[in-house]
Amino acid sequence: RSNEVEELDMAIVLLDFVEKALRVAKQALGKHAGKPESGGLPREAHIVAHCIRKEEDHTFTELVDRIGLMPEVCDRLGIHPDGLPDPTTFYHSIDRYAMYVWRALLRTSAQQLRQSGHVALDSTFFERKQASQYYLQRSGRSVKTIKATTLTDTESLAVLDVHCCIEREHDTKAGPRVVRRNADELRSVAADNGFQDWHTEYEIAALDVEYLVHHQGSRPMAVANNALIRAKGYTQRWMSETSYSTAKRTQDSALRSRFWYRQFREIVLMFALNNIKKLAETL
């Protein structure tokens, strides 16, 4: 009996998660939400299906089987349990929805959470279990990880933006990109010394955003700067690492998509999913 109650509780939580994800997906799609003119599933249903797949680490075939066992979820997504789409339908929807759609999902999911304007700028790496053969042939080398540079709100731990790259792009190149895209909503950015050079400091200062970056060395100017930024909130920079740890611990941190552009979208989806889960009931 206790197992039945536990399964019921899990189902209720999953349904709440689906409803939250569906709301965020509709907002991200805006006027493009709903069924396409050619027919088929609503666009937001595809996005929510990928959230379920990523959260529960399913293959596309397992995803269809899983959805078929949840009539309430089918009802929310506009899917008839007896007319489930082929797994390839969800597989190809990753290609149909361009990167800006997944970025919109990330941004909209972050907007559901309280934002302080104070963010941490940091980078993390994701392992590629299946490297893109196309990329390997063109580059002539094997790339085992993808670098992701993110902005994380230090109060809510919401990931606001992410920049992905296969090449080992230096932090001082990737950092200003994500800050520039979000400058209008930022008050301060905390970053470690990997993001420190005078070009980056000048560019971010020109955006009217306070840049709390740690300086290397023991010269009096560096020591004074580091003491000042600690007083202004630099110590909250570790919140980005907490966000990374949560995302990788609760989801499979290894990328399973075969092609690099799919892997980029998978990373963005992972962080968006982490934001959405903060809105849903805890398992």
Side-chain angles (χ1 to χ4, degrees):
R1 176 61 181 171
S2 61
N3 290 337
E4 293 178 359
V5 173
E6 184 176 339
E7 290 177 1
L8 178 60
D9 291 341
M10 291 284 288
I12 292 173
V13 171
L14 179 60
L15 185 59
D16 180 65
F17 165 75
V18 168
E19 290 178 342
K20 295 293 193 303
L22 191 61
R23 184 187 71 193
V24 172
K26 287 181 178 179
Q27 293 178 3
L29 289 167
K31 64 180 182 180
H32 298 293
K35 293 185 178 182
E37 294 181 0
S38 58
L41 298 180
R43 296 181 178 90
E44 58 270 19
H46 285 275
I47 292 178
V48 176
H50 286 297
C51 289
I52 297 173
R53 177 182 62 84
K54 185 63 179 174
E55 169 64 13
E56 300 191 345
D57 193 24
H58 290 319
T59 65
F60 289 99
T61 300
E62 291 169 344
L63 171 65
V64 173
D65 292 339
R66 174 70 166 141
I67 292 177
L69 296 175
M70 300 183 293
E72 295 88 353
V73 172
C74 288
D75 181 61
R76 297 297 193 283
L77 300 183
I79 303 174
H80 195 283
D82 296 329
L84 293 170
D86 190 84
T88 58
T89 300
F90 293 117
Y91 176 85
H92 291 299
S93 66
I94 297 181
D95 295 330
R96 287 200 302 273
Y97 299 141
M99 187 62 164
Y100 71 85
V101 174
W102 304 103
R103 286 193 180 281
L105 180 71
L106 174 63
R107 187 58 187 161
T108 304
S109 67
Q111 290 173 343
Q112 311 297 310
L113 301 167
R114 183 176 179 180
Q115 297 184 29
S116 63
H118 301 288
V119 299
L121 177 64
D122 207 350
S123 297
T124 188
F125 292 88
F126 293 89
E127 179 186 353
R128 308 176 73 197
K129 282 192 173 179
Q130 297 183 15
S132 164
Q133 295 301 313
Y134 175 76
Y135 177 80
L136 295 181
Q137 291 174 4
R138 294 198 58 179
S139 63
R141 62 180 182 272
S142 176
V143 180
K144 296 183 179 180
T145 59
I146 286 181
K147 180 180 179 181
T149 303
T150 67
L151 285 180
T152 304
D153 188 275
T154 57
E155 183 173 321
S156 65
L157 292 185
V159 176
L160 311 183
D161 200 356
V162 58
H163 170 72
C164 303
C165 65
I166 295 178
E167 296 288 349
R168 290 296 179 265
E169 185 176 26
H170 197 273
D171 287 338
T172 56
K173 301 296 182 183
R177 292 186 181 184
V178 290
V179 173
R180 193 184 307 122
R181 289 199 293 254
N182 301 271
D184 291 343
E185 301 174 12
L186 301 182
R187 297 166 61 188
S188 70
V189 176
D192 63 22
N193 53 31
F195 292 88
Q196 190 268 322
D197 71 356
W198 74 270
H199 292 283
T200 303
E201 292 188 49
Y202 179 81
E203 180 176 355
I204 293 180
L207 297 172
D208 197 26
V209 177
E210 189 170 18
Y211 195 38
L212 308 178
V213 59
H214 193 274
H215 285 197
Q216 300 184 37
S218 57
R219 292 179 301 173
M221 183 175 294
V223 173
N225 173 81
N226 296 344
L228 179 62
I229 66 173
R230 282 195 294 271
K232 291 184 176 182
Y234 172 78
T235 54
Q236 296 299 308
R237 189 190 61 81
W238 64 269
M239 301 294 275
S240 61
E241 298 176 3
T242 301
S243 179
Y244 296 155
S245 175
T246 301
K248 292 182 178 182
R249 187 178 65 254
T250 59
Q251 304 174 53
D252 187 358
S253 61
L255 305 175
R256 299 185 179 277
S257 299
R258 183 174 182 182
F259 303 105
W260 64 267
Y261 67 92
R262 282 172 166 261
Q263 291 169 351
F264 284 11
R265 295 170 190 183
E266 190 176 347
I267 291 173
V268 175
L269 174 61
M270 179 184 295
F271 285 121
L273 179 57
N274 201 45
N275 291 343
I276 295 171
K277 286 165 62 178
K278 296 179 188 299
L279 303 170
E281 297 178 18
T282 305
L283 292 175

